[in-house]
Amino acid sequence: GVDKMAESAELESIRVGGVPEHFNYIFQLAEEKGIFKKFGVKVEFIIQKCGTGAMISSLKKGEQDVIVALTEGLVADIAKGGPIKLIGQYVQSSLCWAISAGINNNDIKTVSDLKDGTFAISRNGSGSHLMATVLASQKGWDPTKLKFKIVGAFKKLRDSVNAKETDAFMWETFTTKPFHDSKEIKRVGEIYTPWPCFMLAARDEDAKKRAPAYQNLIKALSEAATLFHSDSKEMVKRISKIYSLKVEDAKEWYSKVKINPTSKVPMDAVKKALTSLQTSKVLTEKQVESALSKQMLQAFTGL
């Protein structure tokens, strides 16, 4: 009876772009447990290997409907007038970025050695780019003096520091750890984002038109996240297996991460990111002021 009706009811199709990393396991879980279906949505998860900068472009081109991307990248793009909107928070905890250098680069031993260095980045406006500028301002260096070389995806970043064409790159710590352990590259330090790390974004006009579907997507993710956080043994095992992490690394990540999908975005997080992006000279004072104006604020506050 009821099942048959639910089956025949049209599911709303949503293409979601995200990186192939442990944070996004929730999507697989929601699919396997039939949670998306329960909320009337059909999710096609499209793996994005290049990260936030690339995802923002493909969102604007209409290749995806929603992206799971780094808060600082999304906030910077919106503040520069990008036609996108934050529709919700995804990961509430902050992200630990590992700072890595070439395995045989003896000139780089600590973070201080990077003061006038060149950072390899995946692309402009990516987390690897913005977090390097945040690092500079935290260290009291002049962020405008930083040098960057755009090299592309994760593997290219590792090759670039090993070829010594760049001095360091920044990437999420647990994704990088297997390459520290195997001695392909070396870890010289780390930095935490001072804000919740992943947000959900959609194109501006879509966020209004498809608000009910996107609300349902977020409710489904929230239910999957509750499930994820309630079974540590099983989830650690799965994360370790699917993402090739050592069990103890998966366990450490699991114990600290807080996946909390909600269609409200905490405003203090957005303000912190904006201030940081201004200090880091990614945004001008004028851009930050207009971002905080009444008419623009709605782009940051969720559905």
Side-chain angles (χ1 to χ4, degrees):
V2 179
D3 283 356
K4 279 280 176 288
M5 273 170 65
E7 281 296 327
S8 63
E10 208 35 57
L11 294 177
E12 178 122 19
S13 197
I14 303 173
R15 296 164 303 163
V16 181
V19 290
E21 290 173 17
H22 38 296
F23 295 93
N24 286 328
Y25 174 64
I26 298 298
F27 283 86
Q28 200 177 316
L29 189 61
E31 184 58 51
E32 284 167 7
K33 299 280 183 196
I35 300 172
F36 286 139
K37 203 179 221 169
K38 172 181 163 184
F39 283 95
V41 292
K42 179 177 186 291
V43 172
E44 182 194 349
F45 190 82
I46 301 165
I47 288 177
Q48 298 284 310
K49 284 214 165 78
C50 274
T52 293
M55 282 193 270
I56 291 174
S57 309
S58 68
L59 177 67
K60 288 175 182 170
K61 283 187 207 136
E63 295 164 353
Q64 273 118 52
D65 303 312
V66 171
I67 56 173
V68 185
L70 293 168
T71 303
E72 57 275 24
L74 293 169
V75 167
D77 195 86
I78 295 168
K80 286 176 177 167
I84 59 175
K85 175 177 165 61
L86 297 182
I87 59 167
Q89 170 183 272
Y90 180 60
V91 178
Q92 188 178 330
S93 42
S94 77
L95 191 69
C96 180
W97 288 80
I99 305 159
S100 305
I103 192 72
N104 298 315
N105 189 341
N106 300 321
D107 299 331
I108 311 288
K109 292 190 172 70
T110 67
V111 175
S112 317
D113 299 328
L114 296 169
K115 187 174 180 198
D116 301 309
T118 300
F119 284 83
I121 61 174
S122 55
R123 59 184 291 159
N124 272 327
S126 65
S128 56
H129 173 206
L130 300 175
M131 286 310 293
T133 63
V134 170
L135 175 73
S137 32
Q138 282 190 7
K139 292 281 173 198
W141 309 336
D142 179 351
T144 55
K145 291 225 163 67
L146 283 185
K147 295 185 286 291
F148 296 105
K149 184 172 164 62
I150 301 171
V151 300
F154 185 34
K155 166 90 170 87
K156 292 196 167 133
L157 295 170
R158 305 194 307 270
D159 293 344
S160 173
V161 292
N162 277 333
K164 294 191 188 172
E165 56 174 38
T166 52
D167 299 300
F169 74 89
M170 302 176 70
W171 209 253
E172 194 272 329
T173 192
F174 290 101
T175 309
T176 321
K177 192 166 183 299
F179 302 93
H180 293 144
D181 292 346
S182 71
K183 305 267 193 291
E184 181 183 321
I185 47 175
K186 68 179 175 188
R187 180 186 175 102
V188 290
E190 64 180 31
I191 176 177
Y192 282 87
T193 59
W195 44 72
C197 59
F198 283 101
M199 298 279 171
L200 299 159
R203 284 180 301 282
D204 230 351
E205 74 275 13
D206 266 11
K208 295 179 186 71
K209 284 202 299 251
R210 302 189 68 187
Y214 292 166
Q215 290 275 15
N216 284 332
L217 169 70
I218 295 169
K219 283 178 190 155
L221 290 171
S222 174
E223 186 168 312
T226 304
L227 198 62
F228 173 77
H229 283 298
S230 64
D231 189 354
S232 61
K233 229 183 178 142
E234 180 59 26
M235 295 305 156
V236 165
K237 212 162 67 190
R238 289 187 195 184
I239 293 294
S240 159
K241 190 169 174 252
I242 299 169
Y243 301 97
S244 315
L245 295 177
K246 288 182 176 167
V247 174
E248 64 267 26
D249 293 339
K251 202 174 191 164
E252 192 192 338
W253 172 73
Y254 180 90
S255 71
K256 292 179 178 164
V257 75
K258 176 102 186 74
I259 301 177
N260 184 17
T262 142
S263 55
K264 287 282 162 278
V265 173
M267 204 49 221
D268 58 329
V270 171
K271 284 183 177 152
K272 261 187 205 158
L274 285 168
T275 308
S276 196
L277 290 162
Q278 186 186 324
T279 314
S280 309
K281 308 269 198 293
V282 172
L283 295 176
T284 64
E285 189 176 348
K286 207 169 167 189
Q287 284 170 325
V288 171
E289 271 172 21
S290 81
L292 291 168
S293 68
K294 274 276 191 295
Q295 63 272 31
M296 244 187 99
L297 217 48
Q298 58 80 35
F300 294 108
T301 46
L303 281 171

